Amino acid sequence: MNNCLEHTHQIFFEISNMCNKHCVKCPRNFSERKNNNRFGMLSTEVFCKTIDELKEHNYIGDIGFSLYNEPIMDPRLFSLIKYTKDTLDNNCRTHIVSNGHYIDQQMLDELTLIGVDILWISAYTQKEIDRCNALKSNISEFRVLNRLTEPQRNIYNSYTREIISCSEPCYAPLNLLSIDYNGNVLLCCLDYESRHIFGNIYDESLIDIIQKDEVQELYKQLTQGERHLDMCLRCGTHIHIPKYYIK
């Protein structure tokens, strides 16, 4: 069996399109997503099928449960985390990114017990920053991210900013796989309108998708700093390989 996941260290599933907040910096509120009022949820069956597939190919890395959604709102979250941990054993770290609205001490303790390895809380007010920092956590990587002063909107205007000259290598297409709630495997986590789709895990296996010639060639180009897609030409961000996965 070839090591088709050798470049893949993080996989983020947008398990639904639910979110309880309307942050002005978030693409949910200024992109085509703003006009999409239809509730969407990634099928549990398809999620589990993909986790099983990762097991077959000895995946080692992170599994996340969000892109532009609030994962704590999904009633399936705990069962999805449990299935992931039971299937991939110690080969994976489960990663939650949340706005923290629903996270109190009890919820934090329950997330710890179910096996969450990484929890990042994006806090948008000083009150929330202070409240979340006061929580007592035993999760191995617990962070409260201060979003008050970060110019996130500049990161997320992926399709409209001016073309820039950036030759920094980017490892996004394979290193950090982004799968939206419709099952589309995207160019990267900044493709919030799902304009660049490599395939869909409802119709194809994830392994077949990432082994396509177009994906492999694009990855090769981007890791060499060659940016040809319009979205990539406008991007100064470079998704890197996490240090703990560099051998």
Side-chain angles (χ1 to χ4, degrees):
M1 184 181 297
N2 67 328
N3 190 8
C4 52
L5 290 167
E6 63 177 323
H7 300 301
T8 302
H9 306 293
Q10 300 168 295
I11 304 175
F12 277 76
F13 295 86
E14 187 175 41
I15 56 176
S16 80
N17 65 350
M18 294 185 290
C19 189
N20 59 304
K21 289 188 177 291
H22 302 280
C23 304
V24 294
K25 297 179 180 180
C26 179
R28 293 175 57 89
N29 292 297
F30 61 82
S31 70
E32 288 185 6
R33 282 179 172 250
K34 181 178 181 179
N35 300 318
N36 180 14
N37 296 318
R38 182 177 61 85
F39 170 71
M41 181 178 285
L42 184 66
S43 159
T44 301
E45 180 182 359
V46 170
F47 175 89
C48 293
K49 177 205 74 170
T50 307
I51 295 297
D52 292 342
E53 184 183 358
L54 295 173
K55 171 70 172 180
E56 292 174 11
H57 289 270
N58 301 312
Y59 173 67
I60 299 174
D62 296 356
I63 297 292
F65 300 85
S66 62
L67 288 177
Y68 297 101
N69 57 305
E70 172 49 56
I72 305 294
M73 291 184 69
D74 193 319
R76 305 171 301 159
L77 178 62
F78 279 67
S79 62
L80 296 180
I81 293 172
K82 186 177 187 308
Y83 190 85
T84 301
K85 298 293 285 188
D86 288 347
T87 304
L88 298 179
D89 302 319
N90 294 322
N91 286 336
C92 88
R93 307 190 312 165
T94 49
H95 190 157
I96 300 292
V97 181
S98 170
N99 60 43
H101 180 82
Y102 297 105
I103 298 181
D104 54 15
Q105 191 61 56
Q106 180 179 345
M107 174 63 75
L108 185 57
D109 292 343
E110 291 176 357
L111 290 170
T112 304
L113 287 173
I114 201 67
V116 171
D117 299 288
I118 306 168
L119 174 59
W120 293 353
I121 297 178
S122 294
Y124 293 90
T125 67
Q126 190 59 53
K127 181 179 179 181
E128 277 294 280
I129 292 170
D130 294 341
R131 183 185 70 81
C132 293
N133 276 324
L135 296 172
K136 301 183 186 303
S137 173
N138 291 316
I139 291 176
S140 58
E141 188 175 326
F142 175 72
R143 298 184 188 177
V144 179
L145 306 175
N146 184 341
R147 300 299 194 190
L148 281 174
T149 58
E150 292 185 5
Q152 277 188 293
R153 182 71 176 266
N154 294 333
I155 296 176
Y156 290 134
N157 59 350
S158 303
Y159 315 111
T160 58
R161 76 180 105 193
E162 293 183 1
I163 292 177
I164 60 177
S165 298
C166 179
S167 58
E168 289 283 348
C170 180
Y171 299 87
L174 289 179
N175 170 56
L176 194 164
L177 291 178
S178 301
I179 303 172
D180 72 15
Y181 65 93
N182 288 315
N184 297 313
V185 180
L186 308 177
L187 169 64
C188 76
C189 58
L190 298 179
D191 189 10
Y192 47 80
E193 290 184 356
S194 302
R195 295 189 184 185
H196 301 280
I197 298 171
F198 297 132
N200 189 290
I201 58 173
Y202 280 87
D203 305 319
E204 307 171 80
S205 77
L206 181 60
I207 300 302
D208 286 346
I209 292 171
I210 65 174
Q211 290 192 110
K212 290 180 180 178
D213 289 343
E214 64 171 308
V215 180
Q216 295 292 324
E217 181 59 27
L218 180 60
Y219 178 78
K220 179 180 177 181
Q221 291 173 356
L222 287 172
T223 57
Q224 296 173 351
E226 300 175 14
R227 302 181 182 228
H228 303 297
L229 288 177
D230 182 76
M231 179 177 160
C232 298
L233 289 170
R234 300 176 188 276
C235 181
T237 304
H238 50 285
I239 305 297
H240 63 280
I241 300 175
K243 292 180 180 179
Y244 40 81
Y245 292 123
I246 298 177
K247 297 180 180 179

